[in-house]
């Protein structure tokens, strides 16, 4: 996934069965600040069915490993998740994000 100034690569994901790792959506990969000169940070957003977006920050001018196991008790049997990578452009201007990638169990 990529957008101006931000990239997420080497991504992997897994849906865990309800009795393993809480039945959650697990993901990981590398989050890259693709434009070191713009002064903006990058972040990932992950949304699992029935919940709001969760945000995972990167580091300016670096590529860092990111990942999480997204779950809550009602999500044990969910079958939809969405992800996107974004560049945080600050409060006066809207952030730019990649197209949302959808995952089905």
């Amino acid at each position: 996934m990529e957008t101006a100034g931000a990239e997420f690569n080497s991504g992997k994901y897994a849906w865990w069965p309800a009795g393993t790792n809480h039945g959650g959506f697990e993901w990981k990969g590398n989050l890259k600040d693709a434009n070191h000169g713009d002064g903006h940070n990058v972040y990932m957003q992950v949304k699992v069915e029935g919940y709001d977006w969760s945000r995972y920050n990167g580091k300016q001018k670096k590529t860092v490993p990111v990942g999480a196991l997204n779950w809550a008790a009602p999500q044990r049997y969910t079958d939809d998740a969405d992800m996107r990578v974004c560049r945080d452009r600050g409060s006066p201007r809207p952030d730019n994000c990649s197209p949302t990638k959808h995952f089905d169990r």
Side-chain angles (χ1 to χ4, degrees):
M1 289 180 264
E2 64 183 272
T3 187
E7 294 177 20
F8 179 73
N9 54 51
S10 301
K12 297 180 181 182
Y13 77 97
W15 284 105
W16 293 99
T20 306
N21 288 334
H22 308 286
F25 176 70
E26 185 172 20
W27 61 276
K28 64 182 177 179
N30 296 314
L31 180 55
K32 177 181 180 180
D33 180 353
N35 185 348
H36 294 186
D38 67 3
H40 299 300
N41 200 358
V42 295
Y43 61 93
M44 289 296 299
Q45 285 190 313
V46 179
K47 179 177 176 49
V48 177
E49 181 180 8
Y51 287 83
D52 289 331
W53 290 98
S54 296
R55 179 175 169 148
Y56 302 91
N57 290 321
K59 300 279 184 193
Q60 286 185 3
K61 301 180 183 181
K62 295 187 186 254
T63 299
V64 296
V66 293
L69 174 63
N70 293 84
W71 73 277
Q75 294 172 338
R76 293 180 64 189
Y77 303 101
T78 190
D79 56 5
D80 291 295
D82 296 302
M83 294 178 70
R84 60 187 175 202
V85 63
C86 302
R87 178 174 60 162
D88 186 344
R89 294 175 19 139
S91 44
R93 298 190 324 222
D95 296 351
N96 57 287
C97 296
S98 69
T100 300
K101 184 160 174 99
H102 182 76
F103 298 90
D104 289 316
R105 186 181 292 261

